[in-house]
Amino acid sequence: MSTINMSIRVDPELKAQAEYVLNQLGMTMNGTINMFLQQIVREKSVPLNLSLNAEQSLYADLLFAQADRAKGFVGRSAQDALADMDSIIAAAESQAER
């Protein structure tokens, strides 16, 4: 496969920070950019979550959860949720066997 050289302008500090993270992941800048471009081609979309809506951010979700807890909301235990999931899976498996 032949390749071409690309030239892009990037803030030096941003590049250094990105390279630091990529190095910790065992990745290179070149490999990561190629993966990004391959994903664009494969999915026919840009794989970024771009939003101006702050309500969709993780931080906003955490703030809402914190406020709910302060109002006394307890929620469900993980064991209860897993037990429900197990029963749903068992019911689906018995339906599939019929």
Side-chain angles (χ1 to χ4, degrees):
M1 177 175 88
S2 65
T3 61
I4 64 165
N5 288 327
M6 290 177 53
S7 177
I8 60 172
R9 296 184 188 278
V10 178
D11 176 77
E13 183 63 26
L14 175 63
K15 180 181 181 279
Q17 290 173 357
E19 284 178 326
Y20 177 76
V21 172
L22 292 173
N23 286 334
Q24 290 182 321
L25 295 169
M27 301 171 71
T28 64
M29 185 72 69
N30 185 57
T32 302
I33 292 171
N34 277 311
M35 287 185 345
F36 181 71
L37 295 175
Q38 288 170 355
Q39 189 172 359
I40 290 171
V41 170
R42 182 179 59 249
E43 297 181 11
K44 294 180 179 48
S45 68
V46 178
L48 298 174
N49 183 6
L50 304 174
S51 175
L52 294 176
N53 187 351
E55 292 179 4
Q56 293 179 353
S57 73
L58 176 60
Y59 183 67
D61 291 343
L62 292 172
L63 290 176
F64 285 124
Q66 184 180 33
D68 285 344
R69 293 248 182 228
K71 294 175 189 171
F73 178 77
V74 176
R76 300 178 60 202
S77 72
Q79 285 117 348
D80 289 345
L82 289 173
D84 286 348
M85 289 171 57
D86 287 340
S87 65
I88 291 168
I89 291 169
E93 287 172 344
S94 69
Q95 280 290 88
E97 291 173 358
R98 293 184 191 178

